[in-house]
Amino acid sequence: GPYLERIFEPLVQAGALRFVYGGGADVGSFLCNHPAVESVHITGSDKTYDAIVWQGKPKTGAPSFPKPVAAELGCVSPVIVLPGTHWSAHDLDRQAQHIVAGVTANASCNCTAAKLLVLARGWPQRGAFLDRIEHHLQASSRRVVYYPGAMEKHASYLAHYPQAQQLGASALNDHPDARPWLLTRGVEPRLGEYALTNEPWCGVLTEVVIDCDDDAAHFIAKVPEIVNRQMWGTLSCSVICHPTIQRTHAHEFEGLISSLEYGTVVINGPGMLGFPLPFLTWGGAPERSTVHDVQSGSGMVHNSFMIDNVQKSVLRVPWNTMPVVPFWFPSNRNSHNISRRLVIFGAKSSFTNLIMFLVKALKG
């Protein structure tokens, strides 16, 4: 709060912006219904959206709340891994680190966190890939489950999947509220499956197995129906695809990207990378959001180029980032210095600041 007030001090002094502090539904209800407020934008859960728009009434007909409401909400975010070619040991490890970074960032308490890992049953390297993910989760320290309700969600997930592997190094000072990372293998994409329809908001990753052989075209044909119809949310997803498959199945691959009903699609990187880039849009897929079933929200944020009628943003990350170790990787021990230089470069995009950022990045 105080930091944001300092950042936006000119707007605050001009009377164009005001920060209000307080918890609970009473404060939110007062602000939403205040006559000076003409429209509302929220970030939170779909239940918060429904509480504002439907005011506790049945979700039939037109909502009684008269003001426009835009929202950025949650998602059970999938990572789709295409089979069809052999990955080197280096490839397996690097892509595993991308996924683990998507799970562990901010203790997994964010709407961009990777939650579902979509793999082909017949991919010969499926087991080896899961082993590398397990390795990096085990090497990542357990985090304090700090977010309200996250502790209960962690327990609920474990109750549904008692076979989940409990992973992670000891937390700092062995904090009593730290919880292990949970990795569940071999979940079938059944309609209404708990892991596919409940946003956990804690450190879990569920492998969802598609009944498919080691064939990229066959896998691509099956994926959209499952991720678009059986997985809750439309905010962001990731697609991991070897460059060879992108070349040999270019038409099918681009068709897959087009068919995914998500507001942001990140290729060969964690979905969270789409959020901090202001020139991309960020929000739920517009074709899936209604007042009766808002999914991941309505409306878009960011979009610094102010492009109208955006369907989705697609971010393509290089398959191989060597010699740079991405600063979001759990194995990067210089991420704090890299992040600091990146903020400085963002505040003042000079050539000197770019060089300083690159120097720190090469030391990752």
Side-chain angles (χ1 to χ4, degrees):
Y3 295 104
L4 289 173
E5 289 193 47
R6 287 175 58 189
I7 293 170
F8 292 104
E9 185 177 0
L11 294 176
V12 173
Q13 290 183 346
L17 177 65
R18 185 172 179 181
F19 289 82
V20 178
Y21 297 91
D26 291 345
V27 174
S29 177
F30 174 81
L31 291 172
C32 289
N33 291 286
H34 195 282
V37 174
E38 296 180 354
S39 64
V40 177
H41 178 83
I42 68 164
T43 181
S45 75
D46 57 317
K47 295 174 180 59
T48 303
Y49 175 89
D50 287 345
I52 295 171
V53 171
W54 294 99
Q55 302 281 296
K57 299 176 182 177
K59 292 165 60 174
T60 57
S64 58
F65 190 67
K67 304 173 185 179
V69 180
E72 188 260 17
L73 309 175
C75 185
V76 187
S77 307
V79 181
I80 304 162
V81 182
L82 271 64
T85 191
H86 183 79
W87 294 12
S88 69
H90 173 78
D91 292 338
L92 291 168
D93 191 74
R94 297 285 281 194
Q95 295 306 325
Q97 288 200 65
H98 276 302
I99 292 169
V100 170
V103 174
T104 59
N106 198 39
S108 216
C109 294
N110 58 60
C111 56
T112 69
K115 296 302 175 191
L116 302 173
L117 181 63
V118 185
L119 298 179
R121 189 187 308 277
W123 182 36
Q125 294 180 288
R126 173 186 160 207
F129 189 48
L130 286 166
D131 288 345
R132 294 315 299 165
I133 292 173
E134 177 186 335
H135 168 82
H136 288 293
L137 283 173
Q138 180 62 36
S140 299
S141 62
R142 302 180 180 193
R143 310 291 165 79
V144 173
V145 182
Y146 70 92
Y147 204 91
M151 192 79 77
E152 291 78 9
K153 287 181 176 291
H154 190 278
S156 178
Y157 180 92
L158 198 53
H160 281 85
Y161 303 103
Q163 76 275 25
Q165 295 173 264
Q166 302 190 35
L167 305 168
S170 297
L172 183 65
N173 298 325
D174 292 322
H175 197 288
D177 290 336
R179 290 294 180 272
W181 309 111
L182 302 179
L183 173 62
T184 304
R185 305 190 186 205
V187 173
E188 302 288 339
R190 300 182 183 91
L191 190 65
E193 179 70 35
Y194 180 85
L196 279 63
T197 55
N198 290 271
E199 186 181 25
W201 209 256
C202 57
V204 308
L205 181 65
T206 307
E207 182 205 14
V208 180
V209 184
I210 305 297
D211 193 14
C212 175
D213 54 12
D214 187 29
D215 183 272
H218 186 199
F219 184 78
I220 288 171
K222 287 196 165 191
V223 162
E225 178 64 23
I226 293 172
V227 299
N228 290 339
R229 297 292 170 260
Q230 293 179 224
M231 298 178 180
W232 184 84
T234 65
L235 190 59
S236 68
C237 72
S238 301
V239 179
I240 308 299
C241 183
H242 193 281
T244 298
I245 298 300
Q246 292 192 49
R247 290 194 302 269
T248 59
H249 294 72
H251 178 73
E252 295 94 333
F253 177 72
E254 293 302 328
L256 171 64
I257 301 305
S258 178
S259 70
L260 293 172
E261 296 175 355
Y262 290 84
T264 296
V265 178
V266 177
I267 300 170
N268 293 336
M272 65 181 181
L273 296 184
F275 177 74
L277 301 175
F279 50 82
L280 298 179
T281 54
W282 185 260
E287 67 269 29
R288 292 278 304 283
S289 176
T290 69
V291 292
H292 297 90
D293 183 15
V294 71
Q295 292 282 315
S296 291
S298 59
M300 294 283 185
V301 297
H302 301 176
N303 193 15
S304 59
F305 294 138
M306 303 185 73
I307 300 172
D308 291 331
N309 303 316
V310 175
Q311 181 185 17
K312 71 180 70 171
S313 291
V314 179
L315 176 65
R316 299 173 190 263
V317 179
W319 178 261
N320 191 346
T321 58
M322 291 295 289
V324 175
V325 177
F327 68 87
W328 56 87
F329 272 21
S331 61
N332 191 313
R333 303 306 178 194
N334 196 37
S335 58
H336 57 296
N337 289 320
I338 297 171
S339 300
R340 185 177 296 112
R341 295 310 311 185
L342 182 61
V343 170
I344 292 172
F345 175 70
K348 186 176 182 181
S349 302
S350 67
F351 180 75
T352 300
N353 285 337
L354 174 62
I355 295 299
M356 293 297 293
F357 166 69
L358 293 175
V359 167
K360 296 295 184 183
L362 288 171
K363 292 180 178 179

